[in-house]
Structures are given as structure tokens and as C-alpha cells.
Amino acid sequence: MTMNASYFQDQGKTETSLTGPGYVLMFILIAMLVGSINYSNNMAYIMCFLLTALFMVAFLYTRNNLKGLEVLNIQSYPVFAGDNLQFSFDLHNRTRGRRIAVYAVINDGYAPLSAEDFSGPFIVDPLSRVTGKISIPVPDRGRFNLPHITLFSVYPLGLFQVKCRCRIDKWYIVYPKPSGNMSWPEPEIHEDDDSEGFYSRGGDDFVGIRPYRPGESQHHVDWKAVARGRPMSIKEFTGGGSMQQWFDWNTAGSLKTEARISQLTRWVLEADRQGNEFGLRLPGHEIKPDLSPGHVTKCLETLALYNFKTR
Amino acid sequence: MTGLFDTKQKNQQPGTFNPIALLPIPKSSIKWLALSLVVAIGWHAPRTPIWATIASFIMGSIAFSLLIKEKSLPPMTVKLVLAGACVIGIILQYQSFLGRDQGIMTLILFSSLKMMELQTRRDFMILVFLCYFLVFGNFLFEQSLIDLVFTLLAAILITATLIRLNTPQPETGKVKISYVMKFTLRIFLYTLPFTLLLFFLFPRSTSPLWNFKQKELGLGQSGFNDVMQPGNFSELAQSTLPAFQVEFPNHDMPPQRYLYFRGAILLFTDGQKFYSGNPSSQFAREEPMTGPGILQNIIIVPHNQRWLFALDCPVVFPPFSQVSFGNIFRSFAPIRSYFQYTVLSRPDYTEKTELTQSMKVITLRYPRYLTKIMELGQEWRSQSSSDTEIVKMAENYFKSSGFIYTLRPGLMDERNPFEDFLFIHRRGFCEHYAGGFALLMRAAGIPARVVIGYQGGQYNSVGGYLQVRQADAHAWTEVWLQDQGWIRVDPTAWVSPERVEYSLEVSESLLSMGMLPGSNKEGAIQNALNESIFEKIWKFIKFNWDNINYKWDVWIMSYDRFKQRDFLKSLGFGNVKRTELFLTVIIIVLLFFFIFSYFLKRHAMRTDPLLGRYFEFCSRLEKRGIKRMRWEGPVHFEQRAVLALPKKANEIKLFTGLFVKLRYGGEPITKTRLKELKRLSRKL
């Protein structure tokens, strides 16, 4: 089990306030008190004071309903612009009291609050955790900060609400939306390139064998050796010239910036699906062809952040 | 949990955080709400016009079935038409909107209308508050112990509805009713000290914040009237409602025949009825009388009049009353709530006062068209030599002329009821006898006046008090005799001594057996007094129940400014000013609130015992100058601490090792291991 530093993080300050209906009940209580005084009706006094006491006790219950809760393990999944960003998080209750009807809200305050921002209600049993998910729509590519998750609850009576902002300081990257229907640019011929992992055409000189790396294209796997029971290995060739697939900003047509990025994204995804090796060239960035697992992510992130200004 | 309503379109302004409108409404909480509404409206049903109850029931159940089936609610036009119909109904019923009955009816109708537009949590909660208010409104009508018990139960149900609304469904299974109820009851338990504190300490006033018309209040209770007309007492005799309760703190229970509670003196008559007129202060208050005194603590049921009652004849009056002639006293303000007063009476009074000329004129006046009465009175006058003898003759007349005491005397001639009664019908209730006798005395030249009040009552042996009911209302006569003053003469007692000797019950059972005067009364009385075992059990239950109610009236219902002062005095705070009291209440309640809040918070914060040990460990190291950073995990911290404190390296390593094993290694946390952790951290 991994150690998680946020286990010991303290929760932010909770803030308790009246809800709209809470205000209404407050006015009703005042009306009841005036009525009781006017009729000097002891029964009415009892009812009025009973509800007043209920009001006070509800305040305490609601205020305590977020005590000892912390948000951990925030994970976001890759998302393309126009889709919904999925978050998962753990709500951990480190006290021995039950926390009931806790909602988590992700809303940075720039957009109106809507039902989609909510996750919950959660019941967090003592000393245990629940996993919640929130999805928020992301229209634009780029890198965004997730400043906080707001926990809130109106339990038990709905007269008060308690909320607590949990700072999480996590950012997420929205990949550009893949679109465009241009065909792939022609592969480029590189004479003296001796970088690894390119693929070649024609019967070139066999250089040797190296172990297979997971995620690599299986074009050059020495299948005969595998059939003999050996581990998967790659036959490496070298030759006078090799063909490399590059996705270049300039080959993406005369489109506008966003459309070009979308086109490039589409090519990258297609190449990845087909297991092709490719490189990406953007003004100021060059990612050499590779087949390693992080390669696609790196390309997509570069595309996402190209010319992106943080808010 | 499935939300009932689509709240997607209900977006809010950016920057506001008001999530409650967006939360879903669990479907089964609608059932709780419906039950709450049925209870809150149902308790009002007996005094609400039947059409209103039925209409609200129909509207409510339509809305309920639509909500349960998740169908769309009726459109706005339908709701507006229904609301208009309700308004018209209320106006037709009451002609106005102001007032208690109208208010309650409006709430009833509009709460079921509101059910038809139940969409958000806000609507739901407004409906819940309407339920609270309807239950509260019940106290404007009834204030008995039963009503309080009902109200408490209803308040618990309504609060449980709110809790059900806010309780999410667990992943497995449903929200249990027992869980909701247990939690509600716990919350109510916590409210108890606050409620009691506020109830006893909140400053009470004697005067209302503003005056309202009695009619608007609708408090006109059945009871006493200062006009005595043949027929109105026999109506009262059928009412079992309590009038007041009397305790005799320094005296045994006086014999039944002394239990005449004076209420009002009726001087004027037009031959058809007796009335008090305007009891102005032009008549001097009569002198105090001599004789042994009986102290009474009386708790009076609010009747919205100024009447106060006391044993004949009161001599020392409570301080807030206005005394008028004939030892009658009134409260300054109409009695709108239960309250207790103390009064001293002398039952064996002798009065040594002169009859003023004006009083003499008034108490001899009678309409001259009562010719038969005039003839009989003058006949008695001519046959006798003294006033006492005339009274004796009247007694003989009533005893020997076949008069019958009955609850159902039949209708008398409206224009001349007393002559009709005295010479033709000869069947009557107390008001006939008192009025007829007073008219005869006036005709014979003896000043006479009618006194109304209560006679008798039922002694509650459990609580040691006398319960007087409306049915004990009585009218009798006082005549002025030279050298004796005003003397009480009760002509009813001549005809039906049981009425005065025993109680109305006995005389009623005699009446129901059709006993005529002169037949075997003794046996019948014995029969009436003998109780079967069931009657005894019944009486036992009834007395105990009455006693609980009485104590309730004494301690709670009649708790007012004066009792509050006494209560504070008994706590050692004499002479507290109202403003001081008000501030004290606020301070005490706040203090209580904070203490309570502290304990509740501590309860909520009960942490993981394992983490608690770790925090303790960290704070011990912090004292030695090694502070754990917020981002620092235990292993990292251990390494740093060992470097900074090599002497204690062993303890730190052991502690952290065990902690990590328990916390992350999934090993069971046992008490011995926790103790071990404690021991290790102590060594630091």
C-alpha cells in the first residue's frame, strides 16, 4: 500500500449559514413568538420554544456534519475538448461519527451552479472512505487548474448548510478535439538518421536483435524466435535511407490554428491506433518519432498546450 | 437515490452558492409529507367547515398521486382557478379574511394547493413549515394536556419528514423508518433543556402587544353570561367543560351545601329576564364581614370575560381585581389564558350594613304587568308580620305546590315566563326558581336580588381539589332582611335538596329516574351514591386523569408573570426587572448553547484512536523541536526525527513501524497495540 501524504492534511474551515427555507422558518418563529405573547398562550409558547430549540440543535448538527472529512486521491481521466471531464476522488472520514448526506461540488464560481456539478449524496461511515465521481463539461483545450472541491451538506433538517472548500491544487489537461479529414502527409526520407525505432522499406541490412519493449509496434518482432519459445525480440535493420512519418504544422493545410491542431490531433490518434511510429512538429516544438508508451500523451499534451494562455 | 424532478433547467447566477434548490426530493419523503399534512389538517377537522376539509383532502390526494406516479402536476391555470375557488369559499363562509378561524382554514386550503406545485426542496420545506404552523394554530383553540401530547407527536412526525427528506438512501437497502424516528427522537431529547429554559425564563407580560376585537379572536366560549333568562342555565347544565378548580390550602373541603361560588349580582329585571345592567361604582362597596375565613387557590379556565369566582362571600380579593358592590370582583382585563388567584372568603358571614336608598329602590322594582305575582306577594305581606315570616311562607309555597326541579322544564310563555312557571308549569331549573322567588319577594316588599355563579363541584380525592364544571352553574337569590343584611336564599334547595346537598350527578340520576318530590328519595339517593366496582374503577381513572390535568393547569397553563416572579424568587432572584430577565435568558440560553455545542462537536470529532496516538506522538516530537510538515508522510518524518533525535531513535522507529503496520498494513487494531503505541510515545 502506498503512502499518501494527504492523509494528514487538515481540512479547510467550515462555514455554516442559513438556507433560504431556514430564513423562512426564522420568520415563522418570530411570528409564532409574537402570537404567543399576544394571546399569552402558554401552549403556544411551548411550541414556539420547541421549534426554536430544534432550530438551534439543527445548527449544531449541520455544522458538525463535515467534521473530519477529507478529500483524497483525486484522479482525472484524459479528456478531449467537448467531452466531459471525469474526476474521481475519495471522501475519507477520519472520525468515529457518521457523516450523512454530504455532497461534493466542483464549481469554480465562473459558471452558474447546476445539478451536474454535484456528486453525492454520500454516506461516509466512521473511519472509512467512499469514492465519488464528478464529470464537468470541458469546451476548450488546454491546461486548467482544479483549485478546490466544495463539500457541503444540509443534513439533518435543511435549515442550515455547511460548506467547506477543500484545496486540492491539481491541474488537468484537456486534449484538443480531434477533427478534420485531410489524409496523412507523405513520409519523409531521412538519410543519416540513426535514431531508434524507425521503420524501413526494402531488404536492408540486418543489424541485430534487441528485446521487445511493451507498446512497440510488432512489425519487426522475430516471430520465429517466439515460436521457438524465446522471449519477444525485435529484429533491427539499418539502411542507407529510412522513411519517417511526420505530422507537421505546415502539412496540416492552410487551416486556422484550432482547426490545424484538431487535424493534427486526429492524425496522432489514428497513427497511435494503427501502431505506427510518428513524429510531431509544431512551430517551436519537435517530438521525434517514437513508439514508447508516453509518446502519444506527450504529443497530445503538446497539442493541448500549444499557444495556450492560462487564465 | 433517484431524484424526482428534473432540476437541470434551474441554473443559478454565477457566484452564488445556494445548492438547496438543486437537491433532489426522495420519493418516499413525499409519503411522510402527506402523512404530516393529514395529521396537521385532520386535528383541525372537527372545527373546520366540512367542505374545506374534504376539498383540501381531494386536492391533496390528487397532487399526492401525481407526485408518486411522477406525472406532471396540474398547469398554472388549474391551480389559479382552484385558488380562486378557495378564496371565494372562505369569503362565503366567513365574510372576511381576518380572524383565527379564517386563518386556519386558509392555511389548510393553501397547503393542499401548495402540494400541487411541489417541485423543489424549497416547496417541500415550505409545506413542512405550514404543517408546523397548523399544529401551532391548534393552541389557539384548545390548550389541554391531550392537545400538547398530540402536538408533540405531530411535531416529531413533521420533523421526521424533514429528516427523511435529507437522508440519502444507503448503497444497500432503504432508509429505515426506525433510523429516522430514532434520530428524530434524539434531536427532540436535545431540544428539551432549551425548551424548558426558554419556557420558564422568557419574560411574560400581562398585556397583549396590541388589542384585538374579541369577535375576531373567536374566543367566545360557552359559559357564563350576565343575563339570566329562563333556559340558559339548563343549556349550561349539559356542558361538562371545566370552569375552574379550587384548592383549599388552610382548610378541609367545606361541606357541599356551602359551596356557593359567587360570580355576579343581577339587580334589574324586565319580567322576562334578570340582568346586571351596568355595575357602576355608584353603589358603595359593602363592609367587610366577620366569621372564619377559608383561603382558596382558584385556577380559572379562560372565558374571555372578566368574571372571577369565589366562595360566598369573598372578603379579601386578589390585587389585580376590581371590586364592586355585593362583594363581586372582576379582573381588569378579559381572561384569555389560564391563571391562578388566591382569595379569602367567609362562608358564615354576617353583614352589618345599611341598605342605601337607591339600592332599595332598585331591588324592589318589578314590572307591574306581573299581576299574579303582585297579588301573591301582597297576600303574603298582608298575612304576615315580618319579612322572615314571608320567606317562610314562600318556602312552604314552593315545597307544597307540586314544583318539580328538572333539566327539561319545557318552554314557558315567552312574554311572561316567570308567572307561567310559578302558576301553571311548576317545572323549572335553578334560574326559574331564583327569578320567580326574587320577583315574589319584591312583590311582597322585600329587597331581593339574583346571584349567579357555581354551586357544588366534584371533589377530586387524588389531587385534593374541587373541580367545578360549567354544569355546576347555578342561580340563587339574596334577600335583604332587617338586622341581618343580605341573606342567601336558594329556592332550588327547597324543591330539590339533593342538588345542593350532593352534586348535580345525584340529582340528575334522580331526575332521570323520574323521582317526584315526596316519594322515596332516601333509597334513590343511596342507590345513586352506591357505586359498582366498574364505577369505582372508572372514577379512579377519571380522578387521576383530572388530577394530571389539574396539575398541568397549575404548573404550566397558568404560568404567567406572577408565577414567573415567584419561581424566580424561589430560585433566589427576587425583584428581577423584565429587561434584566430578558438579558439573562439570552445569556443563559447562549451559554447552554455553547456548552452543548462543545460536547456535540467533541462527539462529532471522536477520531480514529490510531491517528489520535500518532498526533500525540507528533506533538511530543514537536515539543522537542521536530515539527512534522503537512506534506510529510510518517516514514519520511521518522527518518528526519531519527536524525534530529538520535537518542530516541529506537522508540521513534518502533512507534512508526507499528503505526505504519497498523495503518497501512491492514493489521487489526487491538487495544494492546494501541497501549503499546501510547507507551512508546510516552517514552519520548
Side-chain angles (χ1 to χ4, degrees):
Chain A
M1 197 166 264
T2 54
M3 200 72 73
N4 192 334
S6 59
Y7 253 110
F8 303 107
Q9 254 178 23
D10 295 322
Q11 183 196 30
K13 274 211 166 177
T14 57
E15 204 179 289
T16 315
S17 57
L18 273 173
T19 59
Y23 278 109
V24 174
L25 186 64
M26 206 172 74
F27 283 112
I28 288 178
L29 286 178
I30 292 169
M32 279 183 178
L33 184 64
V34 169
S36 312
I37 294 172
N38 222 24
Y39 288 61
S40 55
N41 186 326
N42 274 340
M43 294 285 99
Y45 271 121
I46 289 181
M47 180 74 182
C48 176
F49 293 148
L50 182 76
L51 290 182
T52 311
L54 201 64
F55 203 68
M56 288 156 66
V57 173
F59 168 77
L60 298 178
Y61 263 97
T62 307
R63 196 196 57 176
N64 289 339
N65 202 32
L66 293 184
K67 288 268 188 289
L69 277 187
E70 46 198 5
V71 176
L72 313 167
N73 270 350
I74 297 134
Q75 282 171 354
S76 58
Y77 300 96
V79 68
F80 295 93
D83 283 352
N84 283 334
L85 172 69
Q86 299 272 349
F87 273 109
S88 79
F89 56 88
D90 281 1
L91 264 185
H92 178 243
N93 178 2
R94 65 166 199 227
T95 65
R96 281 194 282 172
R98 231 165 159 225
R99 300 288 169 256
I100 297 165
V102 176
Y103 291 82
V105 184
I106 287 199
N107 189 297
D108 50 11
Y110 292 108
L113 197 61
S114 76
E116 286 92 10
D117 300 339
F118 282 71
S119 171
F122 300 108
I123 299 175
V124 197
D125 284 324
L127 308 179
S128 64
R129 51 169 74 187
V130 292
T131 305
K133 280 198 176 78
I134 292 186
S135 70
I136 48 177
V138 279
D140 303 320
R141 70 179 172 93
R143 171 179 169 158
F144 298 94
N145 246 3
L146 193 62
H148 53 251
I149 289 182
T150 307
L151 295 181
F152 102 99
S153 177
V154 295
Y155 191 79
L157 294 186
L159 304 173
F160 293 91
Q161 63 182 33
V162 60
K163 58 175 182 174
C164 157
R165 283 184 162 195
C166 296
R167 287 191 66 80
I168 48 184
D169 279 330
K170 187 141 183 155
W171 50 266
Y172 57 90
I173 287 181
V174 180
Y175 301 148
K177 185 180 184 159
S179 69
N181 46 13
M182 291 173 69
S183 52
W184 284 21
E186 283 296 309
E188 295 166 22
I189 297 164
H190 286 250
E191 298 290 334
D192 334 304
D193 197 330
D194 53 14
S195 65
E196 268 185 43
F198 59 88
Y199 71 95
S200 53
R201 286 181 173 181
D204 290 308
D205 305 337
F206 174 71
V207 187
I209 289 179
R210 61 166 176 84
Y212 172 77
R213 290 188 297 243
E216 239 177 337
S217 161
Q218 295 179 351
H219 274 268
H220 300 279
V221 171
D222 182 3
W223 292 113
K224 283 177 189 164
V226 175
R228 284 196 297 270
R230 301 245 179 95
M232 270 166 89
S233 49
I234 296 284
K235 287 188 274 188
E236 281 189 313
F237 299 89
T238 183
S242 63
M243 307 287 275
Q244 284 185 342
Q245 182 67 57
W246 283 91
F247 299 131
D248 196 316
W249 178 261
N250 297 319
T251 55
S254 54
L255 300 162
K256 287 180 181 169
T257 313
E258 289 305 313
R260 278 192 204 204
I261 286 177
S262 289
Q263 181 63 70
L264 287 169
T265 310
R266 192 194 172 108
W267 285 341
V268 166
L269 290 174
E270 278 173 1
D272 180 52
R273 206 175 305 128
Q274 293 170 15
N276 285 333
E277 208 172 359
F278 62 90
L280 180 67
R281 245 185 243 123
L282 290 171
H285 300 272
E286 187 179 272
I287 302 169
K288 286 188 176 154
D290 193 357
L291 275 173
S292 64
H295 179 63
V296 178
T297 317
K298 198 175 169 190
C299 293
L300 287 174
E301 281 183 4
T302 313
L303 283 167
L305 297 177
Y306 178 72
N307 253 0
F308 174 77
K309 295 176 190 75
T310 37
R311 273 195 209 144
Chain B
M1 186 174 65
T2 52
L4 242 191
F5 307 105
D6 184 23
T7 48
K8 274 175 196 166
Q9 72 276 23
K10 295 234 166 197
N11 282 354
Q12 295 174 349
Q13 289 299 309
T16 56
F17 188 80
N18 191 7
I20 192 154
L22 300 173
L23 301 184
I25 301 176
K27 204 164 156 188
S28 74
S29 68
I30 304 246
K31 292 177 192 164
W32 285 77
L33 178 67
L35 186 63
S36 300
L37 272 170
V38 166
V39 168
I41 293 175
W43 198 254
H44 280 286
R47 49 182 168 254
T48 320
I50 188 79
W51 67 264
T53 314
I54 292 173
S56 80
F57 182 75
I58 291 173
M59 287 193 291
S61 40
I62 288 173
F64 177 69
S65 63
L66 288 177
L67 287 167
I68 286 297
K69 289 175 193 155
E70 294 189 43
K71 286 186 180 159
S72 60
L73 290 162
M76 200 57 185
T77 44
V78 173
K79 281 181 269 186
L80 281 176
V81 167
L82 283 174
C86 290
V87 169
I88 289 168
I90 293 163
I91 290 173
L92 285 180
Q93 185 81 34
Y94 294 105
Q95 284 83 41
S96 90
F97 255 111
L98 289 169
R100 181 190 60 168
D101 296 11
Q102 296 92 306
I104 293 296
M105 201 163 110
T106 314
L107 282 182
I108 287 174
L109 287 171
F110 278 79
S111 56
S112 48
L113 266 174
K114 180 82 190 162
M115 191 85 173
M116 288 198 176
E117 55 166 25
L118 176 58
Q119 268 176 336
T120 63
R121 268 204 189 197
R122 189 162 301 174
D123 300 328
F124 191 106
M125 292 183 72
I126 297 293
L127 266 168
V128 167
F129 299 159
L130 278 172
C131 286
Y132 277 135
F133 208 87
L134 276 171
V135 169
F136 170 83
N138 180 47
F139 287 138
L140 302 181
F141 298 87
E142 301 282 343
Q143 293 163 50
S144 68
L145 189 54
I146 292 249
D147 285 280
L148 184 81
V149 171
F150 156 74
T151 306
L152 272 180
L153 293 178
I156 287 173
L157 174 68
I158 297 167
T159 311
T161 305
L162 265 189
I163 288 174
R164 178 64 192 84
L165 172 70
N166 287 294
T167 307
Q169 196 167 327
E171 275 167 39
T172 52
K174 290 195 290 187
V175 179
K176 283 183 191 148
I177 294 178
S178 62
Y179 167 77
V180 173
M181 287 319 288
K182 256 187 210 164
F183 187 55
T184 314
L185 288 177
R186 188 186 317 148
I187 286 188
F188 267 81
L189 196 70
Y190 291 154
T191 60
L192 208 64
F194 291 107
T195 312
L196 292 179
L197 257 176
L198 282 167
F199 180 78
F200 286 108
L201 292 184
F202 187 83
R204 301 306 163 87
S205 66
T206 41
S207 55
L209 296 175
W210 66 80
N211 282 313
F212 35 75
K213 287 174 194 160
Q214 288 166 15
K215 252 190 186 169
E216 277 178 18
L217 248 176
L219 262 179
Q221 294 227 337
S222 75
F224 220 73
N225 206 334
D226 61 353
V227 175
M228 187 194 77
Q229 208 167 5
N232 58 5
F233 273 72
S234 28
E235 261 171 42
L236 268 185
Q238 284 150 22
S239 157
T240 54
L241 291 174
F244 53 87
Q245 293 112 345
V246 195
E247 248 180 74
F248 303 97
N250 66 346
H251 201 277
D252 288 342
M253 170 78 183
Q256 197 82 20
R257 61 176 171 279
Y258 284 140
L259 297 176
Y260 282 88
F261 291 94
R262 226 172 155 81
I265 288 179
L266 310 182
L267 295 174
F268 302 95
T269 179
D270 60 357
Q272 291 161 9
K273 57 181 183 289
F274 280 79
Y275 51 97
S276 65
N278 189 13
S280 64
S281 54
Q282 60 171 308
F283 304 108
R285 185 184 152 191
E286 276 150 58
E287 291 295 307
M289 295 159 290
T290 55
I294 296 182
L295 209 58
Q296 305 138 70
N297 288 331
I298 300 183
I299 285 210
I300 191 154
V301 176
H303 48 53
N304 209 29
Q305 304 282 337
R306 294 168 53 213
W307 312 112
L308 293 173
F309 303 91
L311 213 56
D312 213 12
C313 188
V315 288
V316 179
F317 301 93
F320 43 84
S321 59
Q322 179 190 351
V323 182
S324 63
F325 74 96
N327 293 46
I328 294 297
F329 60 112
R330 303 271 168 91
S331 137
F332 282 123
I335 295 164
R336 292 206 184 90
S337 54
Y338 284 75
F339 95 104
Q340 192 172 30
Y341 57 93
T342 305
V343 62
L344 181 77
S345 300
R346 298 190 199 285
D348 298 315
Y349 60 93
T350 48
E351 207 177 3
K352 302 265 187 252
T353 46
E354 286 301 310
L355 187 63
T356 59
Q357 194 52 40
S358 55
M359 184 56 106
K360 191 172 179 176
V361 169
I362 288 169
T363 51
L364 280 174
R365 192 183 286 158
Y366 68 100
R368 296 291 148 181
Y369 68 84
L370 303 173
T371 46
K372 281 184 186 166
I373 287 177
M374 188 162 69
E375 275 167 24
L376 186 61
Q378 283 168 359
E379 189 190 320
W380 287 346
R381 168 58 69 192
S382 60
Q383 285 171 8
S384 64
S385 53
S386 73
D387 288 355
T388 325
E389 226 169 290
I390 292 176
V391 174
K392 201 79 198 155
M393 288 172 84
E395 184 180 350
N396 283 334
Y397 175 77
F398 275 107
K399 277 181 171 169
S400 60
S401 310
F403 277 96
I404 294 172
Y405 174 70
T406 171
L407 259 174
R408 282 166 289 277
L411 282 176
M412 307 284 162
D413 181 6
E414 265 181 41
R415 279 161 302 157
N416 199 349
F418 287 108
E419 282 195 342
D420 194 16
F421 158 69
L422 281 173
F423 302 108
I424 300 161
H425 265 80
R426 303 198 175 181
R427 294 163 68 89
F429 202 56
C430 60
E431 72 266 33
H432 300 94
Y433 289 97
F437 176 70
L439 285 172
L440 281 172
M441 288 301 104
R442 287 184 182 189
I446 301 173
R449 62 192 189 188
V450 170
V451 183
I452 54 177
Y454 293 86
Q455 199 278 325
Q458 190 176 37
Y459 182 69
N460 188 314
S461 47
V462 180
Y465 65 92
L466 185 75
Q467 172 74 56
V468 179
R469 297 178 186 279
Q470 294 296 350
D472 298 315
H474 193 53
W476 61 93
T477 317
E478 282 180 346
V479 291
W480 172 268
L481 299 179
Q482 201 62 47
D483 303 329
Q484 291 183 49
W486 287 106
I487 292 293
R488 181 177 69 224
V489 178
D490 188 357
T492 309
W494 295 333
V495 180
S496 168
E498 315 79 57
R499 167 68 180 84
V500 179
E501 284 288 335
Y502 301 103
S503 64
L504 196 66
E505 272 172 51
V506 173
S507 60
E508 252 172 57
S509 73
L510 289 181
L511 289 169
S512 67
M513 283 188 292
M515 292 300 296
L516 296 175
S519 52
N520 183 14
K521 264 186 194 168
E522 294 305 312
I525 291 170
Q526 280 311 311
N527 262 344
L529 285 177
N530 277 343
E531 294 163 331
S532 70
I533 183 80
F534 295 111
E535 279 171 331
K536 272 181 187 158
I537 292 170
W538 168 241
K539 217 168 189 177
F540 177 79
I541 296 169
K542 189 172 173 294
F543 274 12
N544 274 290
W545 173 243
D546 282 354
N547 185 37
I548 292 168
N549 270 305
Y550 171 67
K551 290 282 151 27
W552 175 251
D553 290 349
V554 170
W555 294 110
I556 306 295
M557 291 308 300
S558 61
Y559 189 79
D560 57 9
R561 197 182 172 178
F562 304 102
K563 287 209 168 177
Q564 189 173 45
R565 206 175 49 196
D566 293 347
F567 174 66
L568 288 173
K569 234 177 227 169
S570 72
L571 292 180
F573 304 102
N575 291 327
V576 182
K577 278 181 197 157
R578 280 167 60 77
T579 44
E580 287 169 3
L581 186 59
F582 199 75
L583 286 175
T584 319
V585 170
I586 291 174
I587 291 168
I588 290 180
V589 167
L590 281 182
L591 203 72
F592 226 75
F593 183 73
F594 286 126
I595 294 170
F596 187 67
S597 128
Y598 169 75
F599 281 109
L600 216 62
K601 186 177 167 184
R602 221 177 62 164
H603 184 77
M605 285 299 281
R606 286 168 306 158
T607 44
D608 185 342
L610 186 62
L611 270 184
R613 297 285 178 279
Y614 191 72
F615 292 146
E616 191 192 331
F617 168 78
C618 291
S619 66
R620 278 177 196 276
L621 284 176
E622 197 177 327
K623 276 180 200 157
R624 293 175 166 264
I626 313 157
K627 190 177 184 294
R628 186 180 70 82
M629 296 296 130
R630 289 182 62 158
W631 43 262
E632 215 167 15
V635 174
H636 187 264
F637 181 53
E638 176 202 15
Q639 290 162 358
R640 210 159 57 83
V642 166
L643 285 178
L645 199 68
K647 273 185 195 170
K648 298 283 181 187
N650 202 25
E651 281 82 12
I652 294 170
K653 275 182 181 165
L654 277 175
F655 184 95
T656 313
L658 185 53
F659 172 71
V660 168
K661 227 197 286 176
L662 294 177
R663 176 96 180 143
Y664 308 107
E667 295 211 6
I669 300 165
T670 58
K671 272 189 180 171
T672 47
R673 285 177 158 163
L674 288 174
K675 269 185 190 163
E676 173 70 11
L677 283 176
K678 194 165 199 165
R679 196 182 59 81
L680 285 169
S681 78
R682 285 240 172 101
K683 281 192 178 172
L684 298 169

